[in-house]
Amino acid sequence: MRYYKLWIYACNAILFVAVIVFISYAIHVMYHPWLQLLPTLPAYHPAMLYGSVAIVLQGGVLQAIGCIGALSLSRKLLTIYWRMILGLLLGDIIIGVICFFGYINLANGIVSHVKENLQNKYNVDPHMTRNWDHLQIEYHCCGVAGVVDYNSTWWEGYNASSGVVQLPNSCCTKKPSEELITKIVVETPLFSRHSKSSTIITCPKGEEVPNNEGCAVHLEKWLMNSV
């Protein structure tokens, strides 16, 4: 019986440490600037509601019932303890699978959501602007699909009359002069389906070059790694 008690104590200790590690990383992800650019599960989603209850149970309530039951050798408390363990184990597996595939579905809609976020909040919301700048600087990327995402009337660096788009500083990288390609020319559709006009996309500083790669691929990779 002594070893039975020690086994329950050890299991509870391991579970409690695991919960602390999980909560710590979850908080890190929740407050990560990249997450604020992405679509997320709503707070009322069944997986989120279950997760909140499960964390409370596994972060103290379950351990208390198990340890008290082992200490007093209460058959009733130990029965409740083992049933809770089995129920939470099954629930964690089911919700884990639901969350995983739920985030895969969210990832499939990343491009349209993030592009809307860029166009509605960049240079409008200071906090979101810093998140975008941080992302574009860290991954040497620009926009969602590429520099063409700034080729719209929403961006203040867009000058329709001259056909020039001046990118934000975070979209540009300084490179040696022999590698300089300081301007990108893109074909932009006009109101007519078959009409196009040339638009020059360039950096604010002449010695910098635009980062052609979009940021969506980096956001998708970060999201799946976090999940």
Side-chain angles (χ1 to χ4, degrees), residues 37-116:
L37 305 176
L38 298 168
T40 55
L41 293 176
Y44 56 81
H45 191 279
M48 302 298 286
L49 295 176
Y50 170 83
S52 302
V53 174
I55 286 174
V56 172
L57 292 177
Q58 296 177 63
V61 175
L62 184 68
Q63 286 86 347
I65 294 174
C67 290
I68 294 173
L71 187 63
S72 61
L73 293 178
S74 169
R75 181 182 295 273
K76 183 178 180 180
L77 285 178
L78 289 174
T79 300
I80 293 173
Y81 172 74
W82 288 115
R83 286 179 178 175
M84 285 179 66
I85 286 237
L86 291 175
L88 287 168
L89 177 61
L90 181 62
D92 287 354
I93 292 172
I94 293 173
I95 294 301
V97 171
I98 290 174
C99 283
F100 182 78
F101 286 102
Y103 272 104
I104 287 179
N105 291 332
L106 286 177
N108 292 334
I110 276 182
V111 172
S112 59
H113 177 91
V114 176
K115 186 172 289 187
E116 182 179 347

Side-chain angles (χ1 to χ4, degrees), residues 20-41 48 99 103 106 127 131 219-227:
I20 296 301
V21 172
F22 175 82
I23 291 176
S24 300
Y25 189 74
I27 291 174
H28 168 72
V29 172
M30 286 171 59
Y31 289 96
H32 198 285
W34 298 175
L35 187 65
Q36 299 171 43
L37 305 176
L38 298 168
T40 55
L41 293 176
M48 302 298 286
C99 283
Y103 272 104
L106 286 177
H127 179 68
N131 290 343
L219 284 173
E220 290 175 358
K221 184 176 179 180
W222 176 85
L223 176 63
M224 294 315 299
N225 286 339
S226 298
V227 171

Side-chain angles (χ1 to χ4, degrees), residues 51 89 134 143 154 166 182 189 200:
L89 177 61
H134 186 189
W154 70 271
Q166 190 173 81
T182 58
I200 297 175

Side-chain angles (χ1 to χ4, degrees), residues 151-171:
N151 186 24
S152 310
T153 53
W154 70 271
W155 170 237
E156 69 171 14
Y158 176 78
N159 190 325
S161 60
S162 64
V164 174
V165 175
Q166 190 173 81
L167 297 170
N169 288 320
S170 58
C171 270

